[in-house]
């Protein structure tokens, strides 16, 4: 095969395969179960073929067009009126949208939260201490523009944050009281509080924040930091070695008030249900799935990738991927609603449904991979169609039935004429593909037609009822369609492989080309059948879900409250969940603890044998302290303790209090991030938001004249546009920082002006707003600067280096996977997990997602070496993700083959040598790439190629089919496992060549400093 098949090839356009006529196919009508004989064409969905998107003329465009006349000067007022009407209409539509309603809810919740400052009766409930503005701040942080399930989650994390901060506060008070009254040496108590409770407590908060990486967890960590800092450094009980629960009670009251205000607005004003969102997204996802299935299948049968490269197709793919990501997020929120409503059984079935849809998406990925490989083969010069088949034109139509013929019902046999094709003139791999399509095309189109008809109706009807649209006839119709497809495929493949032209002696390269065409077509046909089989499972789950919702045979359970039955009911419930499957976790733990579970590619006899020294054991035991997250927690805690030190010294405590050091320490906690780039981004947003909020507070205070109604109106207006920043633009930190500073200044000044505080700090009852904002801004700036100093100079973690190291480790892990020789594990009778279990696969994908975030942070780092090449690293991560998807596809195929047939065993044994060489070559290339990016060293000019080794494997399969197939192979499905293997290796070969090109861009010029001998 030409080495350019899987990457770096000449992109010369070759005419697409052409079928001179369209044969009839047996089609199963889903709603009736009838089997009809019709001619079916397949192509891009009508919704995707919108030429107007690029400004091109459509069939509705006038022939002569419209005159491009200039507007007259007298038309200017009319144009202004129309523009004003258009703006008003757009504004009204935005206000009616979900985003607009969410912004309104946020503003109402903030207005309610600010009443704790403006209404004397409510303010009196919080005592004479300052900080009443925290109620309004909590309504901003836990805003109501979220679903009811997300609000339940917000309440839980807020209470956990309060409990943790209360524990730290009471423990600190108890420690200082003990050392003051029992030991009579309070300084030791202060030192322990500063190191253990302040440094350790805040360090743990920072560790949890980075570990969880969840928006609500981040907010709760900010709330916990604020409470801990207030109790330890501002309230004074710890310094005075006395017990006081006043501030703890006040914090609890403020959290409860703020959460109640947000929850009430969320539930009473334009309520949003995650369960309803889940159904809406399931409907949208199935529609997108239907379009992508039809489009991909149509493009494959046409043999040209132009449609798959079109903006319309890309838009459909983006919508399909975004819907899948939204469904996974909404499912987590829906879980809380189901638990609260006592419908855990319904949630378990919904989780099963989402898991099934993820598998359907994976099958779509298999269809796209097979189609892409086929396009690459047909794009090679000399491997396209022969001259005899290059005439004509294929019309790409929508997935509809055309040229209806007399009906043939299911009991009638398939006419033999339907399987006739011209198989006597196969000259090139392109001709082989054309013959595959000639024979398999009608069956593929018929099954795709049946699938799309079902997908277009599923799973629910329109809002607000969302009635189930599951027809009882769908399942038997789909089973009949799968059976018909399987039979037709067997007959068609047998006819193709038994032709004399295909079995002639040819060169190794040509045989490899023929077999690669067979592999891509075979994988496409198998993936389509797997998709249909998974659709049957999808229909079964929908039937169970319909029964659970309409009849509820077990009633409402609330099993999560029955602690005494947790090991029975809750575990059986969670077994059905795609979020946290206990059986899978047990398998993963068992796999990790069993040394014989997987043949390790690394032998470490020196470290695990009797020669292990005590020093080495100690070094291994301290491994946790060498991890980046542990170092991050330690340095965050150390920095917090140093910043809080002035609050424990009698000489510096007045200065700390006057300049509001607690807000500087909070800013420090917010700015500290794992990498320098992330800290730069957060620090900039924090400081800019503080300046904007301080400026708005000064304007609001001066214009309002200390009038509470005017201040409330200004606060409502502030909450509207900051809610737009948070909800509509998705810039949560910026919007929260603005409102936090506004509350700290304007609301705090009002509390002081009405004598609602028990101190005379900052001008007493006649507050000077500029002095207040100056103190807050100076504190925030000092906290930001201190955070940047800590992250840059103490165990600095550079995002650029972390990204390179992460890619290196990821490629090494992927290389070790190939060193295990995946097919050999099954051939030797080992378990399916001997190659790669589900936990390891999940870890690889999570690690890649983390590297995506690191890449975003790296773009914010400043380096004298030059700008960060974000586009190149984005392509590197994209290629790596493609290789992980390919590994997942092969792993899914291996897991599916629970028992190997004699034919599969014979094929694998005959290709043992070729597969071993190919696995070692792939492992070698992974190691070379990992070394290159780790050392920032350019790749060699002559890298070993996978293509020739892969060609020998494909030629061996071709030879085996020709010489030994009749003796040992029961059916052509025995080749499915090896076909998937060949397709995956082709995708990895192409991805590796793409990575090599990007590494050449990044490190193409050799730095002489790397070669210096020091």
């Amino acid at each position: 095969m030409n080495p350019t098949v899987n990457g770096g090839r000449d992109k010369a356009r070759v005419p697409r395969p052409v079928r001179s006529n369209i044969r009839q196919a047996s089609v199963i009508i889903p709603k009736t179960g009838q089997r009809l004989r019709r001619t079916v064409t397949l192509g891009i969905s009508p919704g995707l073929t919108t030429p107007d998107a690029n400004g091109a003329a459509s069939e509705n465009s006038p022939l002569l067009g419209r005159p491009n006349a200039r507007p007259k000067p007298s038309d200017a007022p009319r144009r202004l009126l129309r523009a004003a009407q258009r703006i008003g209409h757009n504004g009204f539509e935005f206000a009616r949208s979900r985003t607009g309603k969410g912004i309104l809810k946020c503003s109402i919740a903030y207005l309610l939260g600010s009443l704790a400052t403006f209404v004397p009766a409510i303010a009196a409930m919080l005592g004479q201490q300052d900080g009443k503005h925290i109620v309004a701040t909590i309504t901003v942080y836990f805003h109501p523009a979220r679903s009811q399930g997300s609000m339940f989650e917000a309440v839980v994390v807020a209470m956990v944050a309060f409990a943790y901060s209360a524990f730290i506060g009471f423990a600190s008070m108890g420690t200082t009281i003990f050392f003051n009254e029992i030991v009579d040496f309070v300084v030791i108590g202060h030192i322990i509080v500063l190191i253990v409770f302040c440094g350790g407590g805040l360090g743990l908060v920072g560790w949890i924040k980075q570990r969880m990486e969840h928006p609500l967890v981040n907010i709760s960590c900010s709330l916990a930091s604020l409470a801990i800092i207030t109790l330890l450094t501002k309230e004074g009980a710890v310094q005075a070695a006395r017990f006081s629960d006043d501030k703890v009670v006040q914090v609890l009251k403020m959290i409860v008030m703020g959460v109640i205000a947000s929850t009430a607005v969320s539930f009473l004003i334009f309520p949003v249900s995650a369960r309803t969102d889940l159904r809406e997204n399931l409907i949208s996802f199935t529609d997108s799935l239907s379009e992508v299935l039809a489009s991909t299948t149509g493009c494959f049968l046409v043999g040209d990738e132009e449609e798959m490269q079109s903006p319309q197709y890309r838009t459909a793919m983006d919508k399909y991927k975004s819907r899948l990501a939204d469904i996974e997020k909404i499912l987590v929120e829906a879980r809380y609603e189901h638990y609260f409503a006592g419908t855990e059984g319904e949630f378990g079935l919904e989780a099963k449904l989402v898991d099934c849809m993820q598998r359907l998406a994976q099958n779509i990925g298999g269809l796209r991979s097979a189609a892409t490989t086929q396009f690459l083969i047909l794009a090679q010069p000399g491997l396209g169609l022969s001259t005899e088949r290059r005439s004509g034109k294929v019309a790409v139509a929508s997935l509809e039935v055309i040229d209806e013929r007399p009906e043939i019902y299911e009991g009638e046999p398939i006419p033999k004429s339907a399987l006739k094709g011209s198989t006597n003139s196969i000259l090139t791999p392109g001709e082989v593909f054309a013959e595959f399509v000639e024979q398999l095309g009608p069956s593929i189109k018929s099954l795709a037609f049946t699938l799309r008809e079902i997908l277009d109706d599923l799973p629910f009807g329109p809002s607000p009822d969302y009635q189930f649209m599951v027809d009882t006839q769908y399942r038997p119709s789909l089973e009949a369609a799968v059976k018909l497809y399987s039979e037709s495929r067997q007959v068609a493949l047998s006819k193709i492989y038994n032709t004399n032209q295909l079995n002639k002696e040819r060169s190794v390269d040509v045989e490899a080309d023929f077999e690669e065409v067979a592999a891509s077509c075979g994988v496409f046909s198998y993936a389509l059948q797997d998709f249909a089989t998974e659709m049957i499972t999808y229909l079964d789950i929908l039937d169970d879900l319909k029964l659970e919702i309409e009849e509820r045979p077990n009633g409402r359970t609330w099993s999560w409250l029955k602690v005494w039955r947790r090991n029975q009911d809750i575990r059986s419930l969670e077994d059905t969940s795609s979020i946290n499957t206990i059986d899978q976790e047990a398998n993963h733990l068992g796999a990790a603890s069993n040394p014989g579970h997987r043949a390790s590619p690394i032998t470490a006899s020196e470290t695990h044998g009797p020669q292990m020294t005590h020093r080495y054991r100690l070094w291994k035991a301290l491994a946790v302290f060498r991890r980046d997250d542990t170092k991050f927690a330690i340095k965050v805690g150390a920095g917090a303790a140093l910043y809080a030190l002035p609050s424990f010294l009698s000489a510096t405590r007045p200065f700390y209090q006057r300049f509001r050091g607690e807000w500087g320490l909070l800013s420090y906690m917010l700015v500290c991030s794992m990498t320098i780039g992330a800290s730069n981004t957060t620090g900039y947003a924090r400081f800019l938001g503080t300046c904007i909020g301080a400026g708005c507070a000064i304007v609001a205070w001066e214009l309002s004249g200390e009038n509470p109604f005017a201040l409330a109106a200004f606060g409502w207006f502030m909450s509207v546009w900051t809610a737009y920043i948070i909800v509509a633009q998705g810039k949560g930190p910026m919007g929260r920082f603005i409102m936090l500073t506004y509350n700290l200044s304007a609301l705090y000044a009002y509390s002081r002006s009405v004598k609602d505080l028990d101190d005379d700090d900052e001008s007493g009852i006649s507050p000077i707003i500029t002095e207040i904002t100056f103190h807050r801004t100076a504190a925030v700036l000092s906290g930001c600067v201190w955070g940047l100093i800590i992250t840059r100079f103490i165990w600095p973690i550079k995002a650029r280096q972390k990204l390179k190291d992460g890619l290196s480790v990821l490629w090494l892990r992927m290389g070790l996977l190939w060193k295990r020789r995946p097919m050999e594990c099954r051939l030797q009778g080992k378990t399916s997990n001997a190659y790669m279990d589900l936990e390891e696969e999940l870890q690889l994908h999570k690690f890649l997602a983390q590297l995506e975030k690191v890449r975003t942070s790296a773009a914010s780092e400043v380096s004298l070496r030059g700008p960060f090449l974000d586009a190149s690293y984005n392509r590197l991560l994209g290629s790596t993700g493609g290789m992980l998807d390919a590994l997942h596809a092969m792993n899914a195929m291996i897991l599916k083959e629970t028992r190997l047939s004699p034919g599969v065993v014979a094929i694998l044994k005959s290709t043992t040598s070729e597969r071993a060489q190919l696995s070692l070559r792939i492992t070698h290339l992974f190691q070379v790439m990992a070394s290159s990016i780790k050392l920032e060293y350019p790749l060699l000019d002559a890298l070993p190629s996978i293509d020739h080794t892969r060609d020998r494997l494909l030629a061996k399969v071709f030879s085996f089919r020709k010489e030994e197939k009749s003796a040992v192979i029961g059916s052509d499905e025995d080749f499915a496992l090896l076909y998937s293997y060949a397709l995956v290796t082709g995708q990895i070969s192409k991805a590796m060549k793409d990575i090599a090109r990007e590494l050449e861009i990044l490190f193409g010029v050799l730095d002489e400093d790397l070669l210096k001998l020091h």
Side-chain angles (χ1 to χ4, degrees), residues 666-683:
L666 178 63
S667 299
Y668 161 81
M669 289 297 300
L670 296 177
V671 166
C672 281
S673 298
M674 182 71 77
T675 61
I676 296 175
S679 297
N680 292 341
T681 303
T682 308

Side-chain angles (χ1 to χ4, degrees), residues 285 288-289 292-293 296 317 320-321 323-325 327-328 353-369 455 527 530-531 534-535 538 885 888-889:
F285 178 76
S288 302
L289 196 67
V292 173
L293 173 66
T296 304
M317 280 301 302
Y320 151 81
K321 293 179 180 179
R323 286 290 180 269
L324 184 60
I327 286 174
E328 295 173 355
L353 193 66
V354 172
D355 188 56
C356 183
M357 300 189 88
Q358 290 174 338
R359 293 194 296 271
L360 289 173
Q362 293 164 3
N363 289 323
I364 287 290
L367 294 174
R368 284 173 47 81
S369 298
L455 284 171
D530 290 341
F531 186 94
E534 196 63 44
M535 275 296 300
Y538 182 80
D885 292 340
H888 169 80

